[in-house]
Amino acid sequence: MAPPADLRDWIARLERDGELVRIGAEVDAHLEITEIVDRTVKAGGPALLFENVKGSDHALLINQFGTERRMAMAFDAPSLDAVAERLTDVLELQPPQGLMEKVRGLQKLKSIADSRPRSVRGGACQEIVLTGDDASLDLLPIQTCWPGDAGPFITLPAVITKDPRDGTRNVGMYRMQKLGPRATAMHWQIHKDGRADYLATDGKIEVAVALGLDPVTAYAASAPLPKHIDELMLAGFLRGAPVDVVRAKTVDVEVPANAEIVLEGYIDKDELTDEGPFGDHTGYYTPAEPFPVFRLSAITMRRGAIYPSIVVGKPPQEDAWLGKATERIFLPAVRLTVPEIVDYDLPVAGAFHNCCIVSIRKAYPGHAQKVMHAIWGLGMLSLTKSIVVVDEHVDVHDYGDVMFYVGANVDPKRDVLLSEGPLDHLDHAPTRQFYGGKIGIDATRKGPAEGTREWPPEIGMASDVQALVDRRWSDYGIALAGAAGNGRIRQDPGPLRRLLRR
């Protein structure tokens, strides 16, 4: 099997595996769907296909990425780490030494070459073509997610532009506030490549927005790639098959042929509007700010097109697993730049950019601080507000384990680094927008070269006793449902939370 070919193939797989529920009752895209989805996501529930959305003939798919299992299913992989291994294989491509190495190297190079998007003459996304007054956003079940939102927002788009200087493609996921039947705001943040393309034009920029893609291509639109790497090529590599693209009808932009819906139009450089407020993934409303206006020239779609959506807000939400996919998939690239990194974790509660926990192979005094500065200079990780560094044996995904070493190994006077630098566009905490303070916590073991007293040995059981108990465990008759497999039991905070609610 391979990753899903398009959104309908994906829906069929989800339904076959019991991961999707169809909802026939009439629901309102104004707030009601959000409340249903919010409860479903927080309960680890299924993807939802709303087939009867008030005021629209189009079904709405949501929560398709809402669990780790579904995120791995999207890539047809047993785990997100297995997806990362595909990228590792390419990043570690070295000059071949022997015949077999040359053959394997050629196979890897061919897989990269075969990942480039493939132009086709027509596609399902253009079965219906609407122009003029017929091209209306009122046809789509666009959600108003939260009570304080300025209006309905398109939340899961793949926005496609070309750099006016060299024609390279950018695909990004930028929310779009509906302003009327033929216009939206385009939320091109200061650090995003779409904004760079927009600022490079001296007049207007043509734009296409693909909605309802196969899950891998939809994910690729959210991936933090360097500007010179085509997101559709990444999608092709991860899918194992190129993304077919077709030229749009009214703009000179190629779009994924398997999309359910494509919005075509343009943005004039000098036309801005107040966009927002919007209930964002930070858990707060982002305030109104001036952003460019997207003018619609056409809508093309498949017959019976399905509209995709996502709700963001106070975590956890569905976008947590898009973020976790990025964390896992880009670990090989992070290691390529900072090879002493063993693993890292971006806690969901940290809203992607508030916290990064990283384990390292520590080799010298100040090594943790070196890694902190490296992360603060690394792509979109440069926006990270706080970093915790631990030794290589610490499980960065076990927050209890991490907090033990933060409490045990840290002298705040010696091990806390305060710095400053760029921050996420959406971060409301700093006094000055886009820029503010950063904190690094060195929770690694310290040695004499770092001016410490003699470091005491850490408590641990003798290996022969551990082996003995492993062999005799069934003799004891003890069941440990929460065994973590690393000698610790992960604590489930659920019962405590339920007790506190009483």
Side-chain angles (χ1 to χ4, degrees), residues 264-456:
E264 302 179 7
Y266 64 90
I267 291 175
D268 278 321
K269 188 169 183 181
D270 296 327
E271 186 179 12
L272 301 174
T273 189
D274 281 343
E275 189 265 8
F278 175 73
D280 221 319
H281 71 263
T282 60
Y284 291 84
Y285 288 98
T286 51
E289 287 186 73
F291 279 96
V293 176
F294 169 71
R295 295 287 177 184
L296 192 69
S297 59
I299 298 178
T300 71
M301 64 176 74
R302 299 180 67 161
R303 294 184 182 89
I306 299 166
Y307 175 82
S309 190
I310 191 170
V311 170
V312 297
K314 190 176 293 185
Q317 296 289 348
E318 179 184 354
D319 62 332
W321 290 106
L322 289 169
K324 281 293 172 184
T326 291
E327 173 197 291
R328 295 293 89 200
I329 292 170
F330 283 84
L331 176 58
V334 171
R335 283 176 175 160
L336 188 68
T337 305
V338 193
E340 58 266 59
I341 287 179
V342 176
D343 200 357
Y344 75 126
D345 183 280
L346 305 174
V348 170
F352 307 133
H353 53 76
N354 286 339
C355 183
C356 175
I357 303 166
V358 58
S359 57
I360 66 168
R361 298 180 187 89
K362 185 174 176 181
Y364 47 81
H367 201 161
Q369 289 75 8
K370 179 262 188 187
V371 170
M372 294 171 193
H373 288 295
I375 291 173
W376 284 327
L378 192 60
M380 296 306 290
L381 281 173
S382 65
L383 305 179
T384 304
K385 189 154 55 174
S386 59
I387 298 172
V388 178
V389 183
V390 293
D391 290 303
E392 62 182 299
H393 71 277
V394 181
D395 181 358
V396 295
H397 311 295
D398 184 337
Y399 303 148
D401 197 26
V402 171
M403 285 307 301
F404 168 76
Y405 289 101
V406 169
N409 288 1
V410 173
D411 176 349
K413 186 175 181 179
R414 180 194 63 213
D415 299 326
V416 174
L417 172 66
L418 294 178
S419 186
E420 58 186 59
L423 294 175
D424 190 89
H425 193 127
L426 305 178
D427 193 340
H428 62 275
T431 303
R432 175 181 166 190
Q433 191 178 23
F434 314 130
Y435 188 89
K438 294 172 180 283
I439 185 170
I441 299 174
D442 177 2
T444 62
R445 179 184 178 91
K446 308 304 183 301
E450 292 164 294
T452 64
R453 296 175 294 151
E454 183 179 354
W455 205 262

